[in-house]
Amino acid sequence: MSELELAPATDETFHEKPDNQWLEMWRSLVANRAALVSLAFIGLLALIAVFGPYLVPYNPVETDMAHALKSPSAQHWFGTDQLGMDIFSRVIVGARVSLTVGILAVMIAMTVGVILGSIAGYVGGRVDTVIMRLMDIMLAIPSILLAITLMAALGKGIDKAVIAIGLVSIPEYARIVRSNTLSIKENDYVAAARIVGNSNARIIARHVLPNALSVIIVRTTLGMSSAILDLAALGFLGMGVQPPQAEWGDMLGRARGFIFQAPYTLFFPGMAITLTVLAFNLLGDGLRDAFDPKSRVK
Amino acid sequence: MLTYAFKRILWVIPVMIGVSLIVFSLMRVFSPDPAPIVLGQHATQEATDAWRAEKGLDEPVYVQYWTYLTGAVHGDLGVSYYSNTAVAHEIRARFPATIELAVAAIIFASLVGILLGVLAAVKKNSLFDAASMLVALVGISIPIFWLGIMMIMLFSGYLHLLPTGGRINVLLEPPKVTGFYLIDSLLAADWAAFKDALIHLILPALTLGMYSMAIITRMTRSTMLDTLNQDYIRTGRAKGISEVKVIGKHALRNSMIPVTTVIGLQFGALLGGALLTESVFAWPGIGKFTVDSILKSDFPMVQGIVLLIAVIFVLVNLAADLMYAFLDPRIKYGSKKSG
């Protein structure tokens, strides 16, 4: 009786193999406690980014010189900064800026990088040389220096920061996607698709990219951490947001003169950056392990 | 191998031309006009025109680029918009400070990173392993400038152990020979200056090196784990070679090949990090100066600095690549096999 019931189920699992890979990956990810906690933290952060601005106890951009540089207390959980603005409210509101910039910058870098990388890897030859040499040139300038120079040319502002951070991260995606494309295109199914008469664009979109998806997802997750760090660095150097908008790096840059007088002005925004970046790094590591069957066995 | 090395070295030239083109177009084509920034908002039209003519900014962009490129090839990087001194001179005055800091940082990062990585791999899944991996994880996640601020808060503010910034007590500055204070003070046999330069160097070097230390730890641990699973290690153990010798001589040496490359890459990355570290510690190097020059639209200065940093970055990576090819006998480049 029970055997009869089991039989079709087995058949079904056989049919849905691709789905099962994702399911297995998901199971392996949830089994990784650090990755799971990070995922939960990022989820919380996303909620804060969406609803935070409606929940903050104080107006995050309202100055109150009478209450400047107050230590953390029941009224001001994280204290107040040099202009009397509530640090807790500013840290909360800053989550939206960091996540938005991170997501948009990663999307720019990923889109351009994936297109360039897959074309370079798939077409090969001179096209490959030209694209990858261009990436080499971009990589010859430390990314933060390139980002600052871009900001100088584009001018201040969050939108400019998105572009600058997005542009400087393109080579990382291009390189990874290219090397994956090189190995994927050697597969028989790609040759088969070509023989049947599929266009190159179609083969890349239908066969190459889906198979490179796992590395792209891992890179994107880790890319969030570097984008958030880059944004904070730009903010710290005074090239990020326009005041009084709350951004974690910018808050640190403006409060640095109060390092001994009011350490809490520097502690909380920095902690927010560190925890966020840490969460994306842990999730990225977890995803990499989950996607990689070899490490899963270990 | 030689062909490969030769090709890689030749490749530096087009990369540098590419870099100069990128920086030049960012500064001269896309950036706002520097005249009102340099001369002030209230400069007269005649003064502005005269200044633009003097700096060659009234010429077509391609002429400007050609002038710049031919100058750079001859070592002439132009003149600062502000101080009217040669860019090369300004860079030379500040560069030793940055190199001293970066070298100290990479030494710290390599020593500690390799040590932690090896021990973590040998004691896999132990508490020590977990702790090292946590340190490495925090190391790659913490913003470098915030780490610097926290270091100052702890070691200068609360413990009063180390200075908050600067490179040396100005009264102790050693006579300039190399520009590296640690070396210059030794050459002058001035122990007080040496000690002062050293204690000023500790916090910035730790801060700047932390990220690289974390990367090197992770890399060392994973290559070391791979090596320890190799057959020849098992053979060595079976032959009764002591564990210390197995790890120290056989495993470590083979694991170091990829780690060398990473150290090379990290040294280049440190030059980017120096921008932020120097800003936090008021370190009188090229990093803070770069940021200031960008904010002031000092085009010739920015172009010169970025070009120089790119040259170093590319050469260090080249050295790391060649060393990798040299150290790893399995890698054979060029047409040796077929020819």
Side-chain angles (χ1 to χ4, degrees), chain B residues 67-110:
Chain B
T67 314
Y68 167 66
L69 193 67
T70 44
V73 171
H74 295 101
D76 175 13
L77 295 169
V79 170
S80 163
Y81 283 172
Y82 290 86
S83 62
N84 273 319
T85 43
V87 168
H89 175 81
E90 297 267 358
I91 292 178
R92 213 175 304 132
R94 291 174 174 83
F95 212 59
T98 299
I99 293 295
E100 189 168 51
L101 175 59
V103 169
I106 201 72
I107 289 174
F108 154 72
S110 313

Side-chain angles (χ1 to χ4, degrees), chain A residues 69-174:
Chain A
L69 296 177
K70 292 277 180 246
S71 302
S73 63
Q75 283 84 40
H76 299 281
W77 291 358
F78 292 175
T80 62
D81 69 5
Q82 61 281 5
L83 296 173
M85 298 192 271
D86 181 52
I87 296 175
F88 178 73
S89 303
R90 288 177 71 74
V91 168
I92 292 289
V93 174
R96 181 183 280 191
V97 179
S98 285
L99 285 193
T100 315
V101 172
I103 292 169
L104 293 177
V106 163
M107 273 167 63
I108 293 179
M110 185 187 70
T111 313
V112 182
V114 165
I115 293 174
L116 290 179
S118 54
I119 292 178
Y122 189 80
V123 178
R126 202 162 291 170
V127 176
D128 180 26
T129 314
V130 170
I131 292 177
M132 293 325 287
R133 295 310 102 159
L134 199 67
M135 297 295 109
D136 278 358
I137 291 169
M138 284 180 73
L139 285 171
I141 309 173
S143 67
I144 186 69
L145 180 57
L146 187 55
I148 295 173
T149 320
L150 275 165
M151 290 298 286
L154 298 169
K156 265 190 182 184
I158 273 300
D159 44 343
K160 319 284 180 12
V162 167
I163 298 173
I165 297 168
L167 285 179
V168 301
S169 343
I170 291 173
E172 295 165 35
Y173 293 86

